[in-house]
Amino acid sequence: MIKNTTMAKIIISLLIPLLVSCSVLNRNARSSVSTMCVDLLSARVAVDVPTPDCIRKENYEEGVIYFVSFHDGTMIFHKGALMRFDVDEYTPLGSEHTKKYKIYWGNENGKFWKKYVGGGVRIYYFDVNKESKKKYDNIIKSIRIRKFRRP
């Protein structure tokens, strides 16, 4: 007959590896990412994003705006005229220019922001902590813009 203390040691020795493996799996788990398509007048923007908390669309005479909120930051997708956002007034710390796009980035009040301009579309992220910055940079890198004509 096995004593109670020996049985407890066996159970604990079996549970510890299980608990450790579960914590490692949870830490390495990736959030689900899917492709979100946003129609902005004569352009469709496809971008790979984690599941957003909220998406709000606003139409106005000269354009359309999508506000996409996540638990750790906000993105704006915009095409049109006569619209300025607070992030447009931020002073960039750096920029990158190619034939297809311009990207500006910086830090405002300890939070990161980035502005992508290309194909007549402006896409922003802002109010992002350092820990989440890489996730938002990957979103910007995944941008695909397709122009189309509406009847």
Side-chain angles (χ1 to χ4, degrees):
M1 181 169 174
I2 301 176
K3 293 184 179 180
N4 286 340
T5 57
T6 307
M7 184 60 104
K9 288 179 183 178
I10 291 172
I11 291 172
I12 290 172
S13 67
L14 292 173
L15 283 176
I16 288 176
L18 177 67
L19 293 173
V20 169
S21 67
C22 288
S23 71
V24 169
L25 289 173
N26 186 33
R27 184 179 54 207
N28 293 333
R30 295 181 184 252
S31 62
S32 63
V33 174
S34 61
T35 300
M36 179 176 80
C37 291
V38 178
D39 288 336
L40 299 169
L41 300 176
S42 62
R44 173 169 283 161
V45 177
V47 62
D48 299 330
V49 297
T51 305
D53 294 337
C54 177
I55 299 174
R56 192 175 89 227
K57 178 183 178 183
E58 290 186 20
N59 293 312
Y60 66 102
E61 278 189 38
E62 281 84 22
V64 62
I65 307 164
Y66 281 84
F67 297 95
V68 182
S69 300
F70 301 92
H71 72 280
D72 56 356
T74 303
M75 293 190 73
I76 298 174
F77 296 80
H78 173 259
K79 181 168 176 119
L82 306 174
M83 184 60 66
R84 304 269 311 158
F85 303 100
D86 290 344
V87 70
D88 287 316
E89 305 302 320
Y90 295 167
T91 304
L93 296 176
S95 64
E96 174 185 334
H97 300 272
T98 71
K99 289 182 181 180
K100 291 186 175 187
Y101 61 83
K102 297 175 186 173
I103 298 177
Y104 306 90
W105 62 84
N107 189 310
E108 189 73 20
N109 298 322
K111 302 279 187 157
F112 292 92
W113 63 271
K114 190 169 271 192
K115 175 182 174 180
Y116 172 99
V117 180
V121 172
R122 291 185 287 163
I123 301 170
Y124 308 82
Y125 75 66
F126 59 96
D127 201 26
V128 171
N129 291 321
K130 183 178 181 180
E131 299 80 28
S132 300
K133 183 179 179 307
K134 183 175 180 175
K135 175 177 85 174
Y136 285 89
D137 287 341
N138 288 337
I139 293 171
I140 295 291
K141 289 176 188 174
S142 77
I143 293 171
R144 299 168 306 279
I145 299 173
R146 189 181 99 212
K147 294 184 179 182
F148 58 89
R149 293 182 196 243
R150 293 202 176 221

